[in-house]
Amino acid sequence: MKINKVREAVKCEKAPKIYFDPSTPEEEKYLVTLQELLKSKRRGDWDLAANIANISRFSVEKAFVRVYSKNHTEAVAALKAVIENRRKLLNP
């Protein structure tokens, strides 16, 4: 029984928290967009986004969740490009 609890806990992946408190409807829509990007992200996407943005992998990941950071827009654009490229390749 104890093993089952451990396996269930391992399956759950903790989503990163986005450091942003929306105050307008546009900001709420942007927050939903960021959450959807995180849901459609796959393993290895941070590395590809880092290559596109010319930033380290760790910096891209942190800039994405920190909305007011210097490289946030580059990180979001790079992750969007990676996800869109994958969708185009899988669904021609």
Side-chain angles (χ1 to χ4, degrees), residues 54-86:
N54 262 348
I55 307 170
S56 71
R57 179 195 184 281
F58 182 76
S59 296
V60 167
E61 189 175 351
K62 287 300 176 184
F64 183 86
V65 296
R66 295 175 179 161
V67 176
Y68 299 109
S69 70
K70 178 174 84 172
N71 295 322
H72 176 73
T73 54
E74 291 85 3
V76 171
L79 188 61
K80 277 184 185 178
V82 168
I83 293 170
E84 287 301 317
N85 287 339
R86 181 176 49 248

Side-chain angles (χ1 to χ4, degrees), residues 9-35:
V10 172
K11 289 181 184 178
C12 298
E13 184 176 331
K14 186 177 178 184
K17 181 183 181 213
I18 298 174
Y19 298 99
F20 182 56
D21 293 324
S23 58
T24 64
E26 292 85 18
E27 290 177 350
E28 289 177 11
K29 188 176 180 181
Y30 185 67
L31 181 62
V32 169
T33 304
L34 293 178
Q35 291 170 343

